[in-house]
Amino acid sequence: MKTQIEAIKGVIFDLDGTLVSSELNFSLIKAQVGCPAEQDLLDYIEQLPSPYMREEAMNIVHQHELLDAQSAKLLPGVLEAVKALQAKNIPMAIVTRNFDKAATLKLQHNPLPIEMVLTRTEAPAKPDPSALLMIARQWSMPVDNVIYVGDYLYDIQAAHNANMRACLYAPDVTPGYAEQADFVIYAFDELVSLIDNYAEKVRVC
């Protein structure tokens, strides 16, 4: 866990369950592709023995993701927080395990002033840190100044794998792995306050 007090100058968000709602039923998807409940779905598909099997399994996942994209809605406080960060000239990006078409649909239906979006189509899926590091390089920003905000363990792991600070968004139930995050927020206005507070700490120091 990172303890430095560098200012937070860039924010990367997860998409599903963080910026927009998601009704993806992973238990059902895993059952349909034959993935054991305890195994990561994308890892399981990648390890299937033939290209045909991998393609068929991924087609099932794509169908679920595209259906989910039709009903996704912005979560409470997201638009206000993003606009507040935009007003502070904080660069923002999105890194999601969705595939590109589903992510595009979700953001078309729920527009946000965030142009940079990386999906598993463009970079290895979280908890691999590649997408986060690509964005930091694009911004020419040290990883110490970037925070990744997400709602799941993979988001925390991806942030720490990239040597970034991890902020867990837990609006309903605080999971056991929350203690692994550097910060936990329960509403999006807390994110804006967090970034303001770190700017103040840096100025004071």
Side-chain angles (χ1 to χ4, degrees):
M1 197 174 289
K2 301 177 80 63
T3 58
Q4 79 280 5
I5 59 170
E6 283 86 348
I8 297 169
K9 298 181 179 178
V11 181
I12 308 174
F13 295 100
D14 172 45
L15 184 60
D16 288 359
T18 302
L19 298 178
V20 302
S21 62
S22 176
E23 302 299 328
L24 282 172
N25 184 335
F26 286 102
S27 296
L28 175 61
I29 300 171
K30 286 181 176 183
Q32 289 180 345
V33 303
C35 175
E38 70 282 358
Q39 189 168 353
D40 178 78
L41 177 64
L42 297 180
D43 285 347
Y44 171 80
I45 293 174
E46 190 176 313
Q47 293 164 11
L48 287 172
S50 76
Y52 173 78
M53 293 173 70
R54 292 192 291 272
E55 182 179 356
E56 286 296 295
M58 196 55 77
N59 283 340
I60 292 172
V61 176
H62 287 168
Q63 289 169 15
H64 281 275
E65 289 180 313
L66 289 172
L67 184 62
D68 185 55
Q70 300 296 328
S71 59
K73 301 295 181 189
L74 283 178
L75 291 174
V78 165
L79 184 58
E80 293 82 0
V82 167
K83 285 185 173 180
L85 296 179
Q86 183 186 34
K88 298 174 189 293
N89 295 315
I90 301 285
M92 292 173 283
I94 294 170
V95 169
T96 174
R97 278 169 65 101
N98 271 292
F99 85 120
D100 54 356
K101 291 181 181 177
T104 297
L105 270 177
K106 289 181 178 184
L107 293 168
Q108 282 176 347
H109 295 165
N110 302 281
L112 288 169
I114 302 176
E115 295 182 0
M116 189 179 298
V117 180
L118 291 182
T119 71
R120 69 169 187 268
T121 310
E122 290 88 29
K126 299 172 295 183
D128 188 294
S130 298
L132 304 187
L133 295 171
M134 287 167 63
I135 290 167
R137 285 194 297 269
Q138 182 88 10
W139 288 342
S140 299
M141 187 178 293
V143 292
D144 287 344
N145 294 123
V146 183
I147 191 169
Y148 185 52
V149 183
D151 68 315
Y152 187 58
L153 176 61
Y154 287 163
D155 302 314
I156 299 172
Q157 293 172 338
H160 289 167
N161 288 341
N163 288 315
M164 295 177 182
R165 280 169 283 185
C167 178
L168 180 71
Y169 174 56
D172 301 316
V173 177
T174 304
Y177 53 76
E179 62 187 18
Q180 298 180 41
D182 299 284
F183 311 102
V184 180
I185 59 171
Y186 305 95
F188 260 87
D189 57 349
E190 295 174 34
L191 177 64
V192 181
S193 299
L194 171 66
I195 291 170
D196 287 343
N197 289 342
Y198 265 73
E200 289 296 329
K201 285 182 181 180
V202 171
R203 279 198 287 271
V204 169
C205 292

